[in-house]
Amino acid sequence: MRNTQATQLLFDQSHPGRRGITFPASDVPEGALDEMIPAAQRSKSLPELPEVTEPAVIRHYVNLSTLNMSVDTHFYPLGSCTMKYNPKRHERLAALPGLVDLHPYATAHSSQGMLQMLFETQEMLAEIAGLPAVSLQPAAGAQGELAALLVAAAYFRDRGEKRTKVLFPDSAHGTNPASANIAGFECVQLPSTDKGFVDLDLLKEQLDDQTAVFMITNPNTLGMFEREIGTIAEMVHAAGGLVYIDGANMNAILGITRPGDFGGDMMHYNVHKTFTGPHGAGGPGSGPIAVRDFLAEYLPGPVVAKNDTGEFQLEQPAKSIGRVRSFFGNVGILLRGYCYLRTLGAQGLREVSENAVLNANYLLAKLKGVLPVPQGDRCMHEFVATAKSLATKKGITAMDIAKRLLDYGFHAPTVYFPMVVPEAVMVEPTETESKETLDAFAAAILAISEEDADYVHAAPHTTPVRRPDDVKAARQPNLRWTPTCE
């Protein structure tokens, strides 16, 4: 039933003279072109645009859209990405004319409604974090990491301390060392214990007066809560360093515990993940950061403040690192997050995490017979299983499972991350999936494990593109149409 003709490039469908619209004859006197647009400012040739009809354009994009895998069409258990359902109500509210039509250069006085929502978003994020000061500026989680590390650098510089090292466990997101490097720090990676936790002895060996920040994701990327996080924070603070909490996995602990309460000094949110926003393919994102009070004056600005008369205004923190994003941050995603937080309230947020953890543990229990979980029988909101045994016995790897799942109508889990688990299969079901969906997903993986290995190696069998060269696709993407000379 696929219309493969319609999904060909519009350039390839082009025929000279075809149009999507026909303009009526001009009913005003024609002027000399040279008088309206000087020749020096005109192109010598027409742009090479496709010449197609309106139905061709409509069919092209509608058929392309049906090739997408998305949260709206499929179960999307992409570990570490929190691909939960995005309520459409929030889309409608964020698109209200009074919000989307607000000009970014409008004065604070004429933007009081918007500023009030952003101010209240700051307040709610501070409460959830247990950290009192928030900047909404960063446009994504990784930018939030970088902004927080620049805040830390400014803090130590202001204190006359030259601290050069950022420490992180080997299960950290790759953005942690990348952000630290860009911020000018030396990166020190610490091997985890065989249970997947921070090795306190190794941490103690590395902590000294050069330590600026210890970056840690909690729950970690193995889907487990760092039980010694309080001790870790005490050790880092005793050395004069700061603790950064990567908030990528906040979906597991909302309303249950707070980074500020277990020792974090700085953190970022992924509003588009945790508080819902359509995301994928790298955006759109929003990565606000929250910090302790003694770091507030270094935050990127402006931040939204409320004066004594109750009016909302934009303020630049006294020793701000400056802007990291134009205007107020990625406001469209922040508004969706605001709607989400207001809708659920404190109890609702706690139930989000409880159900996310319940769903993950349910799937773990269903799959551990064929995909063992090296770090244990319990997890937080996600778990990392291994296909090592299946690969050894039948030659079916984590990548094979990911590819074959597409034929069963499921988006693939994250595979081969974190790298501390061989043949890693990282599953995050989120709280928005039903038991029936989880059962169907588990049944698909169990069925794949019983299939002929050669057949699985050739999967997917039902998609237009099967197994591209991943490295070449990433490093040499072919994204531009080039005319073929005849």
Side-chain angles (χ1 to χ4, degrees), residues 188-254:
V188 180
Q189 177 174 289
L190 305 179
S192 300
T193 67
D194 58 0
K195 300 295 183 184
F197 294 112
V198 172
D199 188 318
L200 297 187
D201 292 331
L202 289 179
L203 176 62
K204 184 178 180 180
E205 289 177 10
Q206 290 294 333
L207 289 172
D208 55 27
D209 61 2
Q210 295 299 296
T211 302
V213 178
F214 180 65
M215 302 183 79
I216 182 170
T217 307
N218 199 21
N220 64 24
T221 56
L222 292 166
M224 299 183 299
F225 192 86
E226 288 280 355
R227 299 168 188 167
E228 301 294 335
I229 186 64
T231 301
I232 291 169
E234 289 176 1
M235 293 169 64
V236 174
H237 291 155
L242 300 172
V243 176
Y244 181 84
I245 304 296
D246 181 330
N249 292 342
M250 281 296 289
N251 210 49
I253 59 173
L254 296 171

Side-chain angles (χ1 to χ4, degrees), residues 21 41 52 70 86 95 106 134 148 161 184 203-204 214 253 267 273 335 388 395 451:
I21 186 171
Q41 298 178 8
V52 290
S70 68
N86 312 136
V134 171
E161 296 183 53
L203 176 62
K204 184 178 180 180
F214 180 65
I253 59 173
M267 68 162 291
K273 292 169 53 176
L335 290 178
K388 183 179 179 180
E451 290 181 331

Side-chain angles (χ1 to χ4, degrees), residues 90 93-95 98-104 113-115 117-118 121 136-139 271 276 284-288 304 314 325-339:
H90 302 162
L93 293 172
L99 299 175
V100 294
D101 293 342
L102 183 63
H103 196 283
M114 174 67 81
L115 292 182
M117 285 191 285
L118 296 179
T121 301
L136 302 177
Q137 276 257 307
V271 174
T276 73
S286 180
V304 186
L314 296 173
R325 175 69 158 78
S326 58
F327 304 109
F328 314 136
N330 201 342
V331 170
I333 295 299
L334 292 170
L335 290 178
R336 290 167 173 83
Y338 176 87
C339 295

